[in-house]
Amino acid sequence: MPKVIGVPFITYAAEPDDADLLANIYVTSTHDSRKALGHSNPDGLRRSFLQSFNPAQTFKLVRGCKTIGFYTLLEQLDHVERGQLWLLPEEQGEDVGTAAIKQALSFILKRAEPEDIEQLADLRDEAMKDEWAANGLTDYALARRHFFEDYKPEATWKIEQDGELLGFAAIHEYDEFIHLDMIYLLPAAQGQGIGSQILQNLKEHAQQVGKPIRLGALRISNSNRFYKSHGFHFTHNVDFNNYYEYAPQVPSERASGRLEQAKAEDFDLLADLRQHAMKDNMEANGLFDHALYRQYFKNSFDPASTWKITENEEVLGFYVLWNKPDHLYLERLYFLPKAQGRGIGAEVLTHLKQQATQQNKPIKLEVLPKSRANAFYQHNGFTLLEEREDENVYEWKLSQLTDTCGDFAVDAADKSDFNLLADIRQEAMQEEWAANGMFDHSAYGREFEKTFDPAFTRKITLQGKTVGFYVLWERDDHLYLERLYIQVNVQSRGIGSGVLTYLKKYAEEQRKSITLETFPESWVNDFYLRNGFRLIKASSNEKRYDFVPASVEAPA
């Protein structure tokens, strides 16, 4: 089964209610080519599409909650092949077509039917039986009854490949939040990136509609680490379940104004502003059909990805930012002439750079070749990647934006940091506590409060945000590393190894060894061994490690 990595959308099986939406995409995507041939008849194209529309052979590409294109399957005598791919104009390009093939080879989502309940219940039993047993939940008949009681096919999506059921997900959207009720995959389908791809698209949906995602996971379950690695934060636990939330970006204040998310009724205002801002640049590049470009803007207008730049309640400009899996795409940034030259554009770019830094992603954009914006972006640190006939491609990224980013700082802690550090500790440790049979989180919190000493505690910060901490006690003959915790969403980026390198250098300077203890059943045992620590003692309760620098004579 091909892995799905970096595909910026999900493929859904089309439904009868999709007819009008897909007809609009079909007409829009073929407008230019048909107009060039003198065959532009939007109404006729629409009627033709609706007459031939077959949902069973149509598949739509969805980014978040926005459908960006679709393709059809063609039945041949001895096989079925993919037909033409139609995309919104702003999505067109070879990379999307390649990604569509890659996605379709891996899986599609298809809405469940009432009669699917038995098959889905069987799959759930198969996927969950080991974790239910680990949590002491052995009344499988009761669990199955609960599933039958809660089953809602309209909110359930089957995960299929070539007609074979791989798993399913249940997602409920309410006025205030999105509830990811369940996502199950057969063991053979796990580890292929399917769950991550579905979750990434759901996060994009949450960003577009401005709602958090909430979910629950069994206390002893690999899914805890999975959700935390995708930016979900632990909120509380009840009985056998841990609960998490993912919060999308919210509007931001700026020194000279405010960024406000656009609404559907803002279209005419923003279209007029865009035309006013771009008229000279467009005509300098030979683009004179302003009505056509306004229509293009209307077809792609997505309020959830559009931000107005206001001052004293007046809209001075706006930008459109798409959150792709591996970069942020700044599709548009426009200002009224009277707002230009005041540094507001540079302020907006600073805000977007901060957002990109937090997500560890570069920013990419395109500019017309004959445009003053080329100098503006270059002046603000963007690099010209490619010069095309009709556009220049730019990128901004920090030099430290890599998968093994070690660009952290170590800061002194104080008493006011206790609650923050206690939360980081609980988030980092709850899975290992559960694996070692330790469930009294309140008691562990009280113990931490009793022993908390800011003088020996150091915060680990990344771009000014506290992402972890360690406690290092200075003994007469050694250093004792009592705690080292890193937030789950920044693990696997080399920060922990970077902290240990920092501490080992300090140990070398002090001519002292470092000692520490871990749980017997803990993934950090491998972590410390990989980073030069040696196991010196093991018991049923703990493992003890040390690191002896070259400046210290190792004991015989």
Side-chain angles (χ1 to χ4, degrees):
M1 179 187 302
K3 281 196 173 186
V4 176
I5 300 174
V7 177
F9 49 77
I10 294 287
T11 302
Y12 284 78
E15 300 176 275
D17 289 346
D18 292 320
D20 286 335
L21 170 65
L22 301 186
N24 289 340
I25 294 175
Y26 175 71
V27 172
T28 302
S29 66
T30 60
H31 180 275
D32 284 352
S33 59
R34 292 180 178 274
K35 184 178 179 181
L37 295 172
H39 300 307
S40 179
N41 182 4
D43 291 339
L45 287 173
R46 183 181 181 82
R47 285 194 300 271
S48 174
F49 175 83
L50 292 174
Q51 289 171 0
S52 62
F53 176 57
N54 183 354
Q57 295 181 334
T58 306
F59 298 85
K60 58 183 183 176
L61 313 181
V62 180
R63 178 182 294 127
C65 54
K66 179 183 179 182
T67 301
I68 65 171
F70 70 96
Y71 64 86
T72 57
L73 295 181
L74 303 177
E75 292 190 8
Q76 306 297 336
L77 289 176
D78 57 351
H79 68 284
V80 176
E81 64 182 40
R82 201 196 78 182
Q84 190 169 348
L85 173 68
W86 288 276
L87 297 167
L88 290 171
E90 68 274 13
E91 301 290 346
Q92 293 176 7
E94 275 187 34
D95 55 339
V96 177
T98 301
I101 296 173
K102 185 178 180 182
Q103 169 73 73
L105 288 172
S106 176
F107 72 95
I108 65 167
L109 295 186
K110 185 176 182 180
R111 197 183 300 273
E113 301 291 344
E115 57 269 24
D116 293 321
I117 189 168
E118 290 282 356
Q119 184 183 22
L120 299 184
D122 290 343
L123 187 149
R124 177 174 177 262
D125 292 347
E126 175 67 20
M128 290 298 295
K129 61 183 180 182
D130 291 341
E131 292 195 352
W132 283 336
N135 286 271
L137 303 173
T138 55
D139 192 343
Y140 302 137
L142 176 63
R144 191 177 182 91
R145 285 200 302 273
H146 285 167
F147 177 72
F148 273 68
E149 292 168 0
D150 297 337
Y151 178 61
K152 294 180 174 60
E154 68 275 11
T156 304
W157 297 93
K158 297 187 294 183
I159 305 167
E160 295 186 350
Q161 181 194 40
D162 294 332
E164 178 186 356
L165 183 67
L166 304 180
F168 69 96
I171 302 166
H172 307 268
E173 184 165 349
Y174 301 106
D175 290 341
E176 300 297 328
F177 66 95
I178 298 167
H179 179 211
L180 177 55
D181 188 18
M182 58 188 80
I183 178 168
Y184 300 121
L185 288 166
L186 289 172
Q190 296 174 14
Q192 307 300 320
I194 295 174
S196 293
Q197 188 68 23
I198 292 172
L199 199 57
Q200 179 62 39
N201 203 64
L202 185 60
K203 288 163 60 178
E204 180 75 12
H205 181 133
Q207 179 68 48
Q208 292 171 5
V209 299
K211 297 178 183 179
I213 305 170
R214 296 172 185 168
L215 58 87
L218 283 175
R219 191 170 55 187
I220 301 176
S221 169
N222 292 330
S223 62
N224 289 275
R225 181 174 298 278
F226 170 73
Y227 290 123
K228 288 186 285 189
S229 71
H230 282 274
F232 284 74
H233 298 287
F234 173 81
T235 58
H236 64 287
N237 66 320
V238 178
D239 297 330
F240 294 95
N241 292 306
N242 293 330
Y243 291 91
Y244 296 89
E245 181 175 278
Y246 170 82
Q249 179 194 1
V250 298
S252 172
E253 296 283 352
R254 295 170 25 257
S256 61
R258 177 176 172 81
L259 299 179
E260 298 179 8
Q261 194 164 44
K263 300 177 181 178
E265 55 266 30
D266 291 322
F267 170 74
D268 287 328
L269 170 67
L270 300 184
D272 291 343
L273 189 155
R274 174 179 178 269
Q275 182 168 334
H276 195 184
M278 287 295 293
K279 184 175 184 295
D280 291 345
N281 279 337
M282 291 174 67
E283 293 180 355
N285 286 270
L287 306 172
F288 296 100
D289 193 343
H290 298 295
L292 175 62
Y293 303 121
R294 186 184 184 95
Q295 184 62 41
Y296 283 162
F297 179 46
K298 183 175 183 179
N299 292 338
S300 65
F301 179 56
D302 180 15
S305 302
T306 305
W307 296 82
K308 299 182 294 185
I309 303 159
T310 68
E311 184 178 62
N312 298 326
E313 299 185 357
E314 180 185 6
V315 178
L316 300 180
F318 72 96
Y319 67 85
V320 180
L321 186 74
W322 299 98
N323 196 335
K324 308 284 189 177
D326 59 350
H327 70 281
L328 301 181
Y329 175 51
L330 181 58
E331 184 180 8
R332 315 176 194 276
L333 174 58
Y334 303 124
F335 287 97
L336 291 172
K338 69 176 183 178
Q340 298 174 12
R342 294 173 48 190
I344 302 176
E347 275 189 44
V348 171
L349 288 185
T350 297
H351 168 75
L352 297 180
K353 290 175 186 177
Q354 291 171 347
Q355 184 177 337
T357 299
Q358 291 169 358
Q359 298 188 39
N360 197 36
K361 293 179 180 180
I363 303 172
K364 295 184 179 181
L365 57 89
E366 288 101 25
V367 178
L368 292 171
K370 297 178 182 179
S371 170
R372 290 176 298 170
N374 288 277
F376 167 72
Y377 288 115
Q378 290 177 13
H379 178 72
N380 281 279
F382 283 73
T383 301
L384 179 63
L385 293 183
E386 184 181 357
E387 293 184 77
R388 300 172 182 167
E389 183 178 353
D390 55 351
E391 63 189 7
N392 292 333
V393 182
Y394 289 89
E395 180 182 68
W396 176 88
K397 64 179 179 180
L398 286 175
S399 58
Q400 65 265 37
L401 289 182
T402 65
D403 290 338
T404 56
C405 176
D407 186 29
F408 62 90
V410 174
D411 297 325
D414 59 43
K415 290 183 178 180
S416 65
D417 292 317
F418 172 76
N419 288 332
L420 169 64
L421 302 187
D423 289 343
I424 290 175
R425 174 176 179 264
Q426 177 161 332
E427 180 188 1
M429 288 299 294
Q430 60 178 340
E431 187 174 332
E432 296 209 353
W433 285 337
N436 287 273
M438 302 167 65
F439 301 111
D440 193 347
H441 296 174
S442 297
Y444 309 138
R446 291 193 296 271
E447 179 187 350
F448 178 49
E449 187 172 13
K450 290 178 183 177
T451 61
F452 178 61
D453 188 342
F456 295 94
T457 305
R458 296 291 182 269
K459 298 182 295 183
I460 303 164
T461 63
L462 185 67
Q463 284 94 39
K465 179 183 178 182
T466 300
V467 297
F469 72 97
Y470 66 84
V471 179
L472 188 73
W473 298 94
E474 299 262 1
R475 308 299 191 196
D476 289 340
D477 59 349
H478 70 280
L479 304 174
Y480 175 51
L481 181 59
E482 183 181 12
R483 314 176 194 277
L484 171 58
Y485 304 123
I486 307 292
Q487 285 183 334
V488 174
N489 63 329
V490 295
Q491 289 178 9
S492 302
R493 291 174 56 184
I495 297 175
S497 295
V499 170
L500 289 185
T501 298
Y502 171 81
L503 293 177
K504 288 190 287 186
K505 289 180 181 178
Y506 179 71
E508 184 79 40
E509 294 170 359
Q510 298 295 311
R511 299 179 61 83
K512 293 181 180 181
S513 61
I514 304 174
T515 65
L516 59 90
E517 288 101 23
T518 68
F519 286 123
E521 300 298 327
S522 172
W523 64 271
V524 300
N525 290 292
D526 289 337
F527 167 71
Y528 285 116
L529 289 171
R530 288 197 308 269
N531 281 278
F533 284 72
R534 62 176 184 170
L535 178 65
I536 58 175
K537 185 179 179 180
S539 70
S540 59
N541 296 322
E542 66 181 20
K543 289 185 176 180
R544 181 182 292 268
Y545 294 86
D546 75 355
F547 168 78
V548 181
S551 59
V552 178
E553 181 178 350

